[in-house]
Amino acid sequence: KRENYLGLRLALIEELEAHLHPQAQLRVLKSLLNEKNDKVQFILTTHSTQLGSSIPLKHLKLCFDGQAFSMDSSVTALKKSDYQFLERFLDATKANLFFARGVMIVEGDAENLIIPTIAEIMDRPLHKYGVSVVNVGSNALLRYANIFKRKNGTALPIKVAVVTDLDAKVDENGNPSPNNIEEQRKEIKNKYSSNDGNIKPFISPLKTLEFDIALGNLYEYMHRAILIAKKIKSKNDWLTQYEISNIFSQLSETNPNKRASIIYEPLDKNQASKSVTAQWFAKLICDKKDKVKNLIAKDYQENKGIKYIIEAIEHVTEKIDWNGNSNN
């Protein structure tokens, strides 16, 4: 910053997080962002999600596979309102998307808990493939997906799976209303897809993750998880192991839609927590991995239940050969 100096005014800072604790990192970062001398340029490299979430998105350059991609509004598919939204909500828990080799963008805690468990059972552990699950906690999936999308409709060379509910209206028998579901699905696909196929939406068959699991071959596990969550809510979040072991309700309904509606009712009426349900569902299927793996394969082959979750996992990891082989 000295006067009468005509050389390059450039400061390079490598991995600030390796030298300072988090609070000090932010103090340095804020100081640099407030620097008013426009003749000086600062370049910081980082692997810190805290710093990644604290730097305004427009200043970020994402380095991947020997290339650098700007997050500036001149090249991304983000709108001005998207930048304002992401500045408010893109925190350290979501900024891991900047450091991933694949990204799954999900709506809530249920997907965040259940999808990694299913991936483990399928022998596609997400951590092995460098995949981050980004829980946006809302239906603002498009704002996050468009971080990876360019103005020309292509995407960064990173596989992104956008997992979303269809949220179709169903009657008391679990049957969808006469609305054109296929048109609804087509609209979602057009909104989220990139031209090169790197960003793809994976849409639940009918309603929500829990409802559609109940439509498939894992319905008994979802039924028990919801019953446990319902009991926990009524007992102020504490159950003995004996009580948990004895929570069971026989399902006599054989029609899949009606049965799913019965199973889902406590969630629909807010009698059970979705997060607690997801936690217990993940535990229950982990306890019966071999049996569940066969049921997952059955869902895939019968095109129901969690097939869309399996396809999303395949998109960000690798394809599954259901005969036991794997293909990149």
Side-chain angles (χ1 to χ4, degrees):
K1 292 169 67 175
R2 63 190 186 276
E3 296 180 4
N4 302 319
Y5 173 68
L6 302 178
L8 181 65
R9 298 175 184 269
L10 179 64
L12 303 174
I13 305 174
E14 182 180 9
E15 297 186 1
L16 196 63
E17 65 273 14
H19 310 284
L20 300 172
H21 61 75
Q23 290 76 17
Q25 292 172 35
L26 292 180
R27 284 176 59 192
V28 172
L29 180 61
K30 296 299 180 185
S31 177
L32 297 177
L33 288 170
N34 291 330
E35 174 61 52
K36 301 301 182 185
N37 190 335
D38 58 5
K39 293 181 181 179
V40 180
Q41 183 177 9
F42 297 93
I43 297 178
L44 290 81
T45 63
T46 185
H47 288 97
S48 163
T49 55
Q50 176 162 301
L51 288 177
S53 65
S54 302
I55 298 170
L57 189 60
K58 63 182 179 181
H59 294 320
L60 287 179
K61 305 289 184 288
L62 181 62
C63 299
F64 187 86
D65 200 20
Q67 300 178 73
F69 300 93
S70 173
M71 295 291 113
D72 186 75
S73 59
S74 62
V75 289
T76 72
L78 293 164
K79 300 174 183 176
K80 186 176 180 180
S81 60
D82 293 331
Y83 282 95
Q84 294 168 348
F85 175 90
L86 292 167
E87 195 167 328
R88 292 194 299 273
F89 296 109
L90 185 56
D91 59 20
T93 63
K94 302 179 184 71
N96 60 0
L97 61 84
F98 295 125
F99 307 98
R101 301 194 67 81
V103 176
M104 302 188 78
I105 303 175
V106 303
E107 291 185 18
D109 292 335
E111 292 84 356
N112 196 31
L113 289 164
I114 291 172
I115 290 176
T117 305
I118 291 172
E120 287 275 353
I121 293 172
M122 291 166 52
D123 299 322
R124 296 294 182 276
L126 299 182
H127 61 84
K128 175 183 173 182
Y129 296 89
V131 174
S132 289
V133 179
V134 179
N135 176 11
V136 304
S138 69
N139 59 2
L141 299 162
L142 187 61
R143 296 184 190 267
Y144 291 88
N146 280 348
I147 292 174
F148 298 91
K149 203 170 186 180
R150 309 277 91 180
K151 273 199 183 321
N152 63 4
T154 62
L156 303 187
I158 297 171
K159 292 295 180 71
V160 178
V162 182
V163 180
T164 180
D165 294 336
L166 184 63
D167 283 325
K169 292 181 179 179
V170 298
D171 61 21
E172 66 277 4
N173 293 313
N175 297 314
S177 60
N179 294 337
N180 194 332
I181 288 178
E182 285 311 310
E183 281 298 316
Q184 195 176 341
R185 296 177 70 83
K186 186 177 178 181
E187 183 181 339
I188 293 172
K189 284 181 180 179
N190 290 338
K191 183 165 67 169
Y192 289 112
S193 301
S194 64
N195 297 340
D196 51 21
N198 280 344
I199 304 175
K200 283 186 178 180
F202 296 88
I203 311 161
S204 69
L206 191 57
K207 191 171 173 64
T208 66
L209 174 62
E210 299 89 352
F211 187 93
D212 291 318
I213 287 174
L215 277 174
N217 292 290
L218 296 173
Y219 72 89
E220 289 182 351
Y221 297 91
M222 180 53 67
H223 181 46
R224 186 141 189 261
I226 291 175
L227 290 178
I228 292 171
K230 183 179 178 181
K231 188 76 172 176
I232 285 174
K233 190 167 185 178
S234 67
K235 291 275 285 187
N236 197 24
D237 295 337
W238 175 256
L239 288 180
T240 65
Q241 189 58 48
Y242 175 80
E243 287 174 304
I244 290 169
S245 300
N246 285 279
I247 292 175
F248 186 75
S249 175
Q250 190 68 40
L251 284 166
S252 57
E253 182 59 54
T254 56
N255 179 281
N257 286 67
K258 177 66 175 176
R259 184 175 61 205
S261 184
I262 293 169
I263 292 171
Y264 187 73
E265 186 178 5
L267 293 180
D268 201 33
K269 293 184 175 180
N270 199 29
Q271 296 170 344
S273 161
K274 283 198 168 193
S275 299
V276 175
T277 296
Q279 183 180 15
W280 274 98
F281 177 79
K283 182 183 185 315
L284 292 172
I285 62 174
C286 267
D287 289 345
K288 301 287 184 181
K289 280 186 181 180
D290 291 338
K291 181 180 178 182
V292 168
K293 193 171 184 178
N294 291 330
L295 293 175
I296 288 173
K298 201 173 177 184
D299 262 12
Y300 189 91
Q301 290 152 0
E302 294 176 358
N303 192 28
K304 64 182 181 181
I306 60 166
K307 184 182 180 183
Y308 76 109
I309 298 294
I310 300 165
E311 291 175 332
I313 293 168
E314 286 183 323
H315 179 64
V316 295
T317 58
E318 60 182 352
K319 290 283 185 183
I320 295 172
D321 183 330
W322 296 99
N323 294 318
N325 303 310
S326 66
N327 299 299
N328 289 330

